[in-house]
Amino acid sequence: GEAKIARGSEMAVLAGSIYAGDVVEEVNGLDHSVVARGISQNVRWVVTDHVHKGKLERVVTIKGFDATDQGVDREELVVDIVRAVPVPLNGVEVHEGFLEIAMAIYEDVRPYIDSVSPSHGVVLNGHSIGGSLCTILLFLISLDAEMDQKIVKDCYVFGSPPVVSEGSVKELGGCVPGGDAVLELFGYPADIIKSFVQPWDPVTRLFTSSDPTYPLVGDLGQDGVTLYASGPNRILRPLVRSILLIAPTWPALRDEYLQTSDVKLQNVGRQIVLLPQETQYLSDRFITVSVAVPDVGAMAEMGSEDLLPFLYEAFPLDEFSISFVPAALRSFIHHFWPAYTTALGGVIEAAAESSSELEKM
């Protein structure tokens, strides 16, 4: 409903604010007060307070990967991101690198969650890997015997890579209709995680059976730095090669990523796909790729197990098409945080205009 979208828009803007140069000023402009902020294992986070429905609400917002952030070890973080081989956690298997980062974050933010009054609430919020880390943070709170897991009211994620092994989810068996087997395992309702997805955003498919980026590493030339070694010439090939030649962490990153060839992760929670208008969709599929973020024509909400088949059929992304400049640019633009704030904000504005027009009639 409109309330869910308005709330999603609010959290998307907050998730984007952590990328700002002056985070405190940006967050204060959203009527949030900064309680704490820090860096845990090369990931930034901020804890804020605000009033929601007459009660204090504390939000833990976790930043995604930012290639311009010189205050963290970006190369080390990238290696952690591609360390995706799953490890056990309470009956399921999760992304190893994300689990380690989430545990470091939880150790640092736990006092700010534990000190919240039971009559108030906590929201977890993040874009890109920040959202993935929020998902695992939710699991860790559930497993903390001294923490009241009901203190977490919502978890909002935007354009986030999946974190749970598909095979381990299948071993859990079924769940109640409309439920989520993983969240049931951790004692949460399926809708506690609201995952917003731009359908052309490739990051939401990382480390899955539909990952369009893995072959970029799997299809290496003998020199170890030439991507897209097979097939026709592509503009990105020499450009990427020149970058990798001077990247000191590339060998470690490459070797780590190659170990993920059999990794099949999947999403968790309710998936809300931001669909373009019909004309834009048809143009993108059959005429020419548009790199701009389109207005939202509709939204499709589905369970976590349905997202990848839906994207595979309706919004195909493969290693061949994504290696050409227009699709590569679209992939970057549709993942960057403004793609979510702009799209959701546009839905709110359109609803307000429609309401205003009805009042005039």
Side-chain angles (χ1 to χ4, degrees):
E2 288 184 16
K4 181 186 294 185
I5 302 307
R7 184 80 161 139
S9 178
E10 174 192 355
M11 289 298 152
V13 173
L14 184 60
S17 70
I18 200 171
Y19 290 88
D22 189 336
V23 175
V24 175
E25 181 180 354
E26 197 75 17
V27 166
N28 289 164
L30 301 173
D31 289 330
H32 281 246
S33 297
V34 175
V35 176
R37 55 183 177 147
I39 301 173
S40 306
Q41 202 159 320
N42 299 307
V43 174
R44 294 186 186 271
W45 50 265
V46 61
V47 179
T48 59
D49 282 348
H50 75 137
V51 177
H52 177 65
K53 295 184 176 179
K55 291 186 177 182
L56 179 140
E57 181 175 76
R58 180 157 290 177
V59 185
V60 179
T61 300
I62 304 177
K63 188 179 184 180
F65 178 77
D66 181 357
T68 67
D69 190 344
Q70 298 181 6
V72 301
D73 189 330
R74 292 161 292 181
E75 290 79 10
E76 187 176 276
L77 177 55
V78 170
V79 173
D80 280 341
I81 291 171
V82 301
R83 218 154 36 86
V85 176
V87 293
L89 181 70
N90 190 45
V92 291
E93 294 182 333
V94 301
H95 185 299
E96 180 183 20
F98 287 161
L99 176 59
E100 287 189 11
I101 298 172
M103 290 173 69
I105 293 174
Y106 187 49
E107 183 178 352
D108 291 337
V109 304
R110 187 185 185 283
Y112 305 106
I113 297 174
D114 190 39
S115 60
V116 173
S117 166
S119 63
H120 299 154
V122 171
V123 174
L124 306 178
N125 183 43
H127 164 257
S128 191
I129 68 164
S132 304
L133 295 168
C134 284
T135 299
I136 299 183
L137 207 62
L138 191 68
F139 299 164
L140 296 178
I141 291 171
S142 169
L143 297 176
D144 187 338
E146 298 179 356
M147 183 71 70
D148 177 10
Q149 73 178 89
K150 293 181 180 178
I151 196 68
V152 180
K153 307 303 181 186
D154 281 305
C155 179
Y156 287 88
V157 304
F158 305 90
S160 298
V163 300
V164 178
S165 161
E166 185 181 287
S168 68
V169 175
K170 289 179 179 177
E171 290 180 6
L172 294 177
C175 59
V176 297
D180 185 288
V182 176
L183 290 173
E184 282 185 19
L185 176 68
F186 286 94
Y188 294 109
D191 62 353
I192 194 169
I193 293 181
K194 298 161 184 69
S195 176
F196 291 84
V197 177
Q198 281 284 7
W200 293 119
D201 179 352
V203 172
T204 59
R205 313 183 200 196
L206 285 180
F207 314 118
T208 71
S209 53
S210 302
D211 185 348
T213 64
Y214 174 76
L216 309 191
V217 178
D219 188 20
L220 280 173
Q222 292 184 349
D223 59 5
V225 291
T226 301
L227 304 186
Y228 321 109
S230 62
N233 285 326
R234 278 158 278 190
I235 295 174
L236 286 181
R237 183 189 291 165
L239 175 63
V240 173
R241 184 178 185 277
S242 65
I243 294 171
L244 296 182
L245 279 170
I246 61 172
T249 57
W250 169 244
L253 172 63
R254 175 193 63 213
D255 295 344
E256 194 70 55
Y257 202 10
L258 286 171
Q259 294 182 40
T260 69
S261 59
D262 294 326
V263 170
K264 294 180 181 180
L265 303 183
Q266 74 168 56
N267 308 76
V268 180
R270 299 302 296 172
Q271 309 297 310
I272 304 166
V273 184
L274 308 177
L275 300 174
Q277 296 177 348
E278 290 182 14
T279 53
Q280 182 67 61
Y281 172 73
L282 293 172
S283 175
D284 271 357
R285 283 295 306 273
F286 304 112
I287 302 175
T288 183
V289 171
S290 172
V291 300
V293 177
D295 293 335
V296 176
M299 280 174 285
E301 183 170 338
M302 62 194 71
S304 54
E305 72 284 355
D306 298 321
L307 177 64
L308 289 175
F310 173 78
L311 293 177
Y312 182 81
E313 290 294 329
F315 296 88
L317 272 178
D318 58 67
E319 64 274 15
F320 183 77
S321 64
I322 205 174
S323 66
F324 289 94
V325 171
L329 284 174
R330 179 182 64 187
S331 297
F332 173 79
I333 292 169
H334 285 226
H335 174 65
F336 196 40
W337 62 265
Y340 290 89
T341 57
T342 301
L344 289 167
V347 174
I348 301 301
E349 291 175 6
E353 289 176 6
S354 176
S355 177
S356 177
E357 289 299 320
L358 287 173
E359 288 177 2
K360 293 177 183 178
M361 294 176 66

